[in-house]
Structures are given as C-alpha cells and as structure tokens.
Amino acid sequence: MVTVVKRLLLLATLCFTTLFSPIAPAADKPVFKICWSIYAGWMPWDYAQQTGIVKKWADKYGIDIRFVQVNDYIESVNQYTAGGFDGCTMTNMDALTIPAVGGVDSTALIVGDYSNGNDGILLKGQGDIRSLKGRPINLVELSVSHYLLARALAKNGMSEKDIKVVNTADADLVAAFGTADVNAIVTWNPLLAEAEKQPGSHEIFSSAQIPGEILDLLVVNSATLKKHPELGKALTGAWYETLNTMHGDNPTAVAARTMMGKSSGTDLAGFDAQLADTYLFSNPKQTLDFVQSKALLTTMQSVAEFSFKHGLLGNGAPGADAVGIGAPAGVWGNTANIKLRFSDEFVKLAAAGQL
C-alpha cells in the first residue's frame, strides 16, 4: 500500500539486507515461517498460534510452523516476496501486484473472507459520492482503499479525473481526518471505526457495496507448497478448527473472540463489530463455493485492470493480462505466466473430513 517507487525501494533493500536471524529447525522437522499483520480477518491465525492449534496440526504432519507478526503490513508482503517467509497474509490485489508481479509464484491457500464493510469512504458534512467531485481525498495511494474509491466512482458515473487523491500513510489518516483541511478519507478497520467518531462524519460508500472483491488471503509460495503438501494440510486444518472454535455465543467462542480483540487493540464488542463487516467463509463448503465460482476470475480481472491502469503491474507490462491468474474455474490473463493461483485442493480435503 505504497507508491510504486517505494515498493521497488523496499524490495531492493530486502534483496540485499539480511533481515532475519536463522531459526534452528527442530530435529528432523522442516520449519516454515508465516508472516501476518493485524486485521480482523487475520486474527484467527494469531489465536491459533497462541493457543496451540497451529502446533497441534503441525505436529500431526511432522512439521514446525511459526507465525511471525510484522507490524507494517506492506513490509510483511515485501518480506515474503523477498523470500524471508514461506507464506503471508495479504489481500488479493497485493498478492497480484507485489509477489506475482515480482515473479514469485504464489498460491492463495486460504481465502478467509472478503471485506463486507471493513473498508469505507468517510465524508464530513452532508453529501454522497457525487459530492466528492473536485475535492481532495486522503487515502493510502495504490492500496485496496484506492481500488474501493475507483469502484465507488465508477458506480456513480464518475472517474478519478473528477477528484484528487492525496497519498496519506495509514498511521496518519485518523489524525488527518481530525483537521479542518481534510474532509474525505478512505480507509479500513480499525482505522475506519476510529475516524468515523469524528463529529459530522458519515460513511458514503463501503466494501459491502462491492461484495467479494476485496479478499483477505493466506498466500503460500507455490514451490514450497508443492514440495511440502503437509504444510497446506496443517494450515488448512488449523484454520477451520479455529473458525469453528470462535463461532457462536458459547463461553469458548466468546473467550476466543475476546482474546483476538485484545490482541488487535480492542475489546470483544469492538472485535465483534469488525467481524460484522467481514464476511468470513466459516466452513470449507462456503470457501469451495466461492473459490470454484467464475465470479472469482471476474473479480481478479477487475483488480488486474485497475492495477495496470495505475502502473502496478510494472513498466514493461503490455496489458492488464500480463500476469496469469489461475483458479478452479480457469485462467485469466497470460497462461504462460501464471504467478497467482487460487487452490481448492486442501479445502476439498477439509470439506471431506480427510485432513
């Protein structure tokens, strides 16, 4: 979620700098490192790590899985792209524009959820999307927030030519919205909920109006996954056990969500509010229906076209279809250059109770 130049600088630095201390593998156990950052849809991974669910499934398949929190989201994706991690949590757009464009063949092992209101456009005072015409809008440029704005404008017969994007770091957005000079922002939770407390502000568009387009994934290096399918099995098993644990109003579920909320800087009520704006695929069957649908490829085409328009596919990209995107329903883009894959292999095993 940074400018193209900053993306390239970050990646170049990562390629030439040793960022990690070596981890001594357990005896006879392959070690896999997965990075993640705080977001409602990814907090189940932290819970699974802390409570031993990840270890339970890793032990079952004779491997060692270590989740590592990286506070800067985009840095986590860059570190994965540079080979520092075997997997990473990221959105579908960033999976395409960073590792896939960078030549790293990656597999969306878990399609965990889609934003169903967790991303939104806030405006001070009266008005709607059309009221943005001629106004500056603060957001993290070239992020999913930028994509959300573009979709909102298109749905209202407008384009980015009608507004002015003001690139603002995510850490500064809430404070900026509290100033007299900033009247419109685009951001995601928990920043969205915090900014909405600003007197006179209201939401004029959210990701709930483009359901299924902003996806939150666990992406794993395809070569690693092919060599070690046990990693895919263990992660998939841990994910669905965790979702089952946190679902409902029983004491165990409430305790689980309370723990996730605390770890993400809020409480149970705050975390549940964020989950209400997150469409979690709560069981393998729901995930399969989505991943196997043709709608997924249609969404990724839309993401690729936005990315190409904004230079996120690289200066040498001949078109939006420069990178191939594979899914159970087929391939969109360059079939000779498939670098992002949506797999149903391990979710099928989960749905059949065969993990």
Side-chain angles (χ1 to χ4, degrees):
M1 302 175 183
V2 288
T3 62
V4 175
V5 172
K6 190 174 180 183
R7 286 170 185 262
L8 294 174
L9 288 174
L10 277 169
L11 190 53
T13 300
L14 288 165
C15 289
F16 293 99
T17 305
T18 301
L19 294 174
F20 310 99
S21 299
I23 295 178
D28 301 321
K29 278 189 176 183
V31 176
F32 302 98
K33 295 187 297 177
I34 312 291
C35 57
W36 71 282
S37 52
I38 290 178
Y39 174 72
W42 295 327
M43 294 313 297
W45 289 118
D46 179 54
Y47 175 84
Q49 174 85 351
Q50 291 193 50
T51 59
I53 294 176
V54 168
K55 184 179 186 304
K56 166 190 166 183
W57 283 91
D59 287 347
K60 178 176 180 177
Y61 290 102
I63 59 178
D64 188 349
I65 302 174
R66 304 179 186 185
F67 275 80
V68 179
Q69 182 183 346
V70 178
N71 291 329
D72 186 322
Y73 163 71
I74 201 65
E75 183 178 339
S76 72
V77 183
N78 274 298
Q79 289 181 10
Y80 161 76
T81 303
F85 289 95
D86 301 292
C88 183
T89 55
M90 64 186 78
T91 67
N92 52 325
M93 190 174 99
D94 293 320
L96 173 64
T97 62
I98 303 179
V101 168
V104 179
D105 193 321
S106 299
T107 297
L109 176 70
I110 299 291
V111 178
D113 67 83
Y114 63 76
S115 178
N116 198 34
N118 260 326
D119 299 77
I121 304 174
L122 297 181
L123 176 68
K124 290 178 186 174
Q126 299 298 314
D128 54 17
I129 291 294
R130 293 178 181 84
S131 303
L132 296 177
K133 190 167 184 177
R135 293 191 181 189
I137 303 169
N138 293 63
L139 51 78
V140 179
E141 193 175 14
L142 306 178
S143 69
V144 291
S145 292
H146 200 158
Y147 174 79
L148 178 72
L149 174 63
R151 294 287 287 117
L153 293 171
K155 279 181 168 288
N156 286 272
M158 299 168 65
S159 73
E160 289 183 58
K161 293 180 180 178
D162 295 315
I163 54 92
K164 179 183 178 182
V165 169
V166 180
N167 187 32
T168 308
D170 54 348
D172 299 329
L173 271 170
V174 175
F177 197 51
T179 67
D181 294 334
V182 178
N183 292 298
I185 65 169
V186 190
T187 189
W188 55 86
N189 274 322
L191 302 176
L192 181 67
E194 186 63 27
E196 201 165 8
K197 295 176 184 177
Q198 185 69 29
S201 73
H202 68 288
E203 188 174 78
I204 57 174
F205 193 88
S206 84
S207 52
Q209 291 163 266
I210 52 167
E213 293 192 33
I214 299 177
L215 304 173
D216 301 307
L217 318 170
L218 175 66
V219 170
V220 177
N221 182 282
S222 297
T224 300
L225 192 60
K226 183 176 181 179
K227 184 177 179 181
H228 296 281
E230 67 272 23
L231 174 62
K233 293 178 181 179
L235 287 169
T236 304
W239 176 253
Y240 288 110
E241 178 176 337
T242 304
L243 292 192
N244 186 58
T245 300
M246 65 185 282
H247 181 71
D249 295 321
N250 61 78
T252 301
V254 171
R257 297 200 307 278
T258 299
M259 183 175 174
M260 293 180 205
K262 184 177 180 180
S263 295
S264 62
T266 186
D267 55 15
L268 175 62
F271 188 67
D272 279 348
Q274 291 180 36
L275 285 181
D277 290 332
T278 306
Y279 189 93
L280 277 172
F281 296 108
S282 57
N283 60 65
K285 179 61 168 59
Q286 283 186 343
T287 310
L288 275 179
D289 289 344
F290 182 81
V291 172
Q292 293 176 344
S293 70
K294 291 184 178 179
L296 174 58
L297 285 177
T298 300
T299 289
M300 291 310 301
Q301 177 180 349
S302 176
V303 170
E305 289 170 348
F306 168 87
S307 300
F308 175 69
K309 179 181 177 181
H310 291 82
L312 296 176
L313 299 186
N315 293 330
D321 59 354
V323 177
I325 302 166
V331 175
W332 188 87
N334 189 347
T335 57
N337 187 39
I338 300 175
K339 295 299 181 184
L340 179 58
R341 306 167 191 273
F342 288 84
S343 172
D344 62 0
E345 176 184 357
F346 300 97
V347 181
K348 279 182 178 178
L349 295 176
Q354 296 176 352
L355 288 176

